Amino acid sequence: MNSAIRLHTKEHIATIEHYKQALSLLSWDAKTSAPPNSQKQHATIQGTLSKELYLLQTDPAFAKELQQLQEQNLSQLQQKQVQHYWNIYQKLSAVPLEDYYQFSVLKASTHALWSQAREQNEFKLVEDNLQQLIHMHKRFAEYRNPHLAPYEQLLEEYEPDVSSETIDSLFQQIKDAILPLLTKIKRSSVTHDTSFLNKPFSIENQQKLGKHLLTAIGYNFKSGQIGTTAHPFSAGIHPQDARLAVRYDEHNVKLAAFMFLHEGGHSIYNQQISSDLLDTGLGAYTSMGLHESQSLFWERIIGKHEGFWRNHAHLFKELEPAIYGDISFETLYFALNEVTPSLIRLQADDLTYLLHIIIRYELERDLFADKLRVSDLPSAWNAKYKAYLGIKPETDRDGVLQDGHWYGGTFGYFPSYNLGFIYAAQLREAVIKDNPDFDEIISSQNLSLIADWQKQHIHQYGKLKTPREILTNLSIGRIDAQPLINYLKKKYEGLYKL
C-alpha cells in the first residue's frame, strides 16, 4: 500500500466532514431562525443525516484501510488523521445503529422541548426526556467500555487529559480560595451605584455595540454571521464559516456585551485554524477546555481589562447618551467588574462564575453516579445555589432550565468552562512572557498582536496538537489553578481595596 493516504480514503474523510458541516448548519438554523412548527421535522432530518454519518464512520472497508494505514510511514498530519478516525470508529461501532439514530432524534427533540419548558417555566415538561438522555448515555458507555464509569467517558469527549479526580482537586482548590474572598468583598465599603446598567438599552444599539467589540478583537465578518437565540453559542462549521448567536435583554446591556466577546473568542479560534486542515477531520478545536480558554480569555482577561474599556467606554455614551452621558469611567469600569452573586451563569462576575460551573459539575456527576434522581434535580440545584451563593432560584427558568446543554444531550461539558478559565490564566502568563508590555498592548487597541499570538501557538494547529502538547510547548506544564487564583485575588483585592 502507498505510504500516502489513498484518494478513496481522502474522499471518504471529506464526505464525513461535509455531513458534520451540514448537521452544524441544521443545528444553527434550529437554534436561531427555524419556525416553531418545523422543530419536529428538523429533529427527524438531523436523525437521518446522523444515521448516514454513523454509517460513513463505521464503514468496514474504511475501518480496514485505517488499520492498514497505522502500519505505514505517514506524515504527522496523516498519522493524526488515522488515529482520529480510528478512535471514532471504535466508539461508534460499539453502539448499534438503531440506538445511535434514536439518540440523535432524542437530542434534537429534547432541545426543542427544553425551549418550550423554559418558556412555560416547567421542568416537568422535559423531565422524562432528560431521563432518557442520561439512560442512553449510560447504555452507550456500557457498550464502549464497561470497565470505565459513564461520566469518565463523557469527560474524555471534551477534555481527554483530565479525569474527574483531577477536576475534583482543581475545583476544591478554587472553592477554598474564592469563598473566603467573596466574604471579604461582601464586607468591603467600596461601592458604586451601578443601576444604570439595567436601564433600557435598545436592542439595535446593543447590536451596534456588539459588532464594534467583535471588530476590536479581530472577528472576521466575511467568515462569520451573528444570530439571535435563547442560549448563546458559537457554531464552528468550518474555518471559513464561524458563526455566533447571542441573547438580548433590553435591561441588561452587560449581558450582551460579554456574550459577544465570549462567543467571538470561540469564533476567532475557529476562523484561525489552518485552511490546510479543512475536510481532514483535524480542522477543529483540540479540546473543549482549550476552546473555552479562548472565549474566556477574550471575555474576561481582555474584556474586563481596564485598558480595554479605556478604548471602548465611549460607545456607551455615544449609543445611549441620556443614560451614560454623566457616568464616570471609574464607575462604569467598576460596574462591568462588580462582584454580585446572581442566579444566572451568563450574568455572573469572574468569581461567582466559577461557582456556577462547580454546581453544575457536581450535579451531573451525581446524576451519573446514581446519587441524584432527575426528578430531584430542581431541588438539588436550588440547594446548592443557596449553599454556595446565598441565593435561591424562585423559578425553574432561572434555575435548572437556564442552560440548554443537558437538554441537547451534552454532559461532561460544563467542567470545560472552569478548565478553560484555568487555561486562560496560564496562557495569560505565557503571553506576558513573550509580550512584557501586555497591558500596554491592550491599552493601545493593537489587539491583533494577541490574536496573532493565539494563532501561532494554538489556533492554527486544530487537532494536530493536544492541550498537553500546547502547554508543554509553551513551557507551562500541567493544568494548574494557582495562576487563576493569583490573578483573581490581585484584581479583586485591588478593585475592592481589601
Side-chain angles (χ1 to χ4, degrees), residues 394-459:
E394 297 297 326
T395 66
D396 288 344
R397 184 186 295 114
D398 288 341
V400 72
L401 289 175
Q402 70 171 273
D403 296 301
H405 300 62
W406 292 338
Y407 310 97
T410 304
F411 295 90
Y413 183 119
F414 275 121
S416 297
Y417 287 111
N418 276 3
L419 296 176
F421 208 173
I422 292 170
Y423 281 140
Q426 291 183 275
L427 292 170
R428 172 182 172 273
E429 292 189 346
V431 174
I432 291 173
K433 183 178 178 181
D434 289 346
N435 300 274
D437 56 345
F438 177 73
D439 292 327
E440 288 73 21
I441 290 173
I442 298 172
S443 299
S444 70
Q445 298 193 58
N446 196 11
L447 295 177
S448 61
L449 291 174
I450 306 298
D452 289 346
W453 186 95
Q454 291 175 321
K455 180 179 181 178
Q456 178 186 351
H457 295 287
I458 303 169
H459 299 170

Side-chain angles (χ1 to χ4, degrees), residues 221-262:
F221 285 92
K222 291 184 178 180
S223 297
Q225 183 176 323
I226 302 171
T228 304
T229 185
H231 189 89
F233 71 101
S234 60
I237 298 163
H238 53 73
Q240 284 80 48
D241 191 349
R243 308 182 187 192
L244 60 94
V246 300
R247 175 163 61 89
Y248 301 99
D249 180 344
E250 189 175 5
H251 293 276
N252 192 348
V253 62
K254 184 176 174 181
L255 177 68
F258 287 115
M259 269 195 236
F260 272 109
L261 291 170
H262 183 95

Side-chain angles (χ1 to χ4, degrees), residues 302 304-311 329 333 337 442-443:
I302 301 292
K304 295 199 170 185
H305 192 286
E306 181 179 351
F308 182 82
W309 288 108
R310 290 283 181 191
N311 291 319
F329 173 79
Y333 176 69
N337 285 276
I442 298 172
S443 299

Side-chain angles (χ1 to χ4, degrees), residues 75-108:
S75 67
Q76 180 194 22
L77 186 150
Q78 291 170 338
Q79 289 174 17
K80 291 278 188 177
Q81 271 187 291
V82 170
Q83 191 59 53
H84 173 67
Y85 283 107
W86 181 248
N87 289 343
I88 291 174
Y89 169 77
Q90 288 184 306
K91 288 179 180 179
L92 288 181
S93 61
V95 177
L97 173 58
E98 187 57 32
D99 282 8
Y100 185 80
Y101 171 74
Q102 289 178 4
F103 184 58
S104 299
V105 174
L106 179 63
K107 286 194 298 182

